[in-house]
Amino acid sequence: MLDITIDGRAGAGLTFTHVPHQAPVDVNERARLLENPGFGRVFTDHMVTIRYNETEGWHDARVEPRGPFQMDASSAVLHYAQEIFEGMKAYRLADGGTALFRPEANAARFRSSAQRMAMAELPEDLFLESIRQLVRIDHEWIPTAGGGSLYLRPFMIASEVFLGVKPSAEYIYAVIASSVGAYFKGGASAVTLWVSQDYTRAAPGGTGAAKCGGNYATSLVAQAEAIRQGCDQVLFLDAAERRWIEELGGMNIFFVFDDGTLVTPPLTGTILPGITRDSILTLARDMGLTAREEPYSIDQCRADAESGRLREAFACGTAAVVAPIGQMKMRGGDFTIGTGGPGQTTLRMLNALTDIQRANAPDPHGWLDRLD
């Protein structure tokens, strides 16, 4: 076993124990899997685990072979849904190196999610080191063709064994990694949204701004309805008036108008503060574009699409990066946005963002975290 001691104030004295995999996936089999990995189906050899209890704090940090958890049937997460997660990517660069994109933002959001869910807060430098440890060991799993990347899933679950409604006193933090290709099979072709008028994602005072599994679980019935309607994704409206556009089941949304202005719904506690969303706002302003965070109603969206004022719309998030939106369907009639395909501003944002992520363009904001 290899002990790796991390530096840093919050991680001082904590050692990562590296337990090598005794039977890693064969090199030829790995190459076959990476030819067409899909999304979220191909996993790397290793994982990170760190444990917490109120007596020892964070301890027992390991990089070890990926495998199942052994859990008691009374573990708190199974009954009271105390769990949070993040989504981020590692990229293969043209020079053969690897890099993460804005990992410190994921670390900060993970800590914020833990606060909202009354969970132990993982120090941000420990979060970052756990990601770097796993990527360095499993970097050969990053696809080299077709815009592939290594999707990283840090998560934390309540592991105390008890039945009772209270915050858990014990937690397991883990990171797994998955080799991925494009999130949508059609690549840059436009997606169609189903506007849910029966279900909502989050309400004021709830967990909408936290990245917890419950938010996604409650979206699945609406997503299933969207699929039945021949759509790719569901679009949620606000819980109070069922009028204001909020976000998709797993992505934020932007609108582009005929004057070049971009608009995205504001962060009012019911919308996830997406890191891709924040990056696009920054890039748009760097380009001299007006980018506003303001409420936008579904009725106004329809009227603007029909008048031609609304030229483009796109969804954004770590998994899909940027996905053009061509059509919205809902009770009362469907409508097309712009030409129904990817617009110029949408593609400009997609290219600008991916060029920075893969070190093919200058990185003025220092977003890339190189691991070589």
Side-chain angles (χ1 to χ4, degrees), residues 213-342:
N215 293 342
Y216 295 81
T218 58
S219 76
L220 296 179
V221 65
Q223 177 63 26
E225 183 180 55
I227 298 298
R228 290 195 299 270
Q229 295 295 331
C231 299
D232 302 289
Q233 284 281 317
V234 61
L235 176 65
F236 288 107
L237 306 178
D238 74 292
E241 300 182 62
R242 309 292 176 90
R243 174 188 178 192
W244 304 103
I245 292 172
E246 294 216 320
E247 66 172 285
L248 280 63
M251 291 179 280
N252 296 120
I253 189 168
F254 276 83
F255 302 93
V256 184
F257 298 95
D258 55 3
D259 62 357
T261 298
L262 283 76
V263 167
T264 191
L267 301 178
T268 58
T270 59
I271 296 174
L272 186 72
I275 295 163
T276 307
R277 173 189 181 276
D278 181 72
S279 302
I280 289 171
L281 285 169
T282 300
L283 289 175
R285 291 160 183 162
D286 288 347
M287 295 172 183
L289 301 175
T290 299
R292 301 195 302 270
E293 300 173 76
E294 64 184 31
Y296 191 49
S297 72
I298 189 62
D299 291 340
Q300 191 62 54
C301 180
R302 178 199 291 275
D304 289 342
E306 292 174 347
S307 71
R309 177 173 177 260
L310 177 60
R311 296 290 179 85
E312 305 174 40
F314 61 88
C316 64
T318 297
V321 188
V322 170
I325 298 167
Q327 189 178 32
M328 293 190 185
K329 295 184 177 183
M330 60 186 296
R331 291 198 303 269
D334 310 337
F335 57 95
T336 299
I337 297 172
T339 64

Side-chain angles (χ1 to χ4, degrees), residues 42-77:
V42 175
F43 295 95
T44 69
D45 290 315
H46 296 89
M47 63 191 292
V48 168
T49 58
I50 310 176
R51 296 178 181 271
Y52 174 91
N53 61 46
E54 292 181 340
T55 301
E56 300 172 274
W58 292 104
H59 66 285
D60 194 17
R62 294 172 174 264
V63 184
E64 59 190 349
R66 180 181 174 272
F69 287 140
Q70 184 174 358
M71 298 182 64
D72 191 286
S74 299
S75 296
V77 66

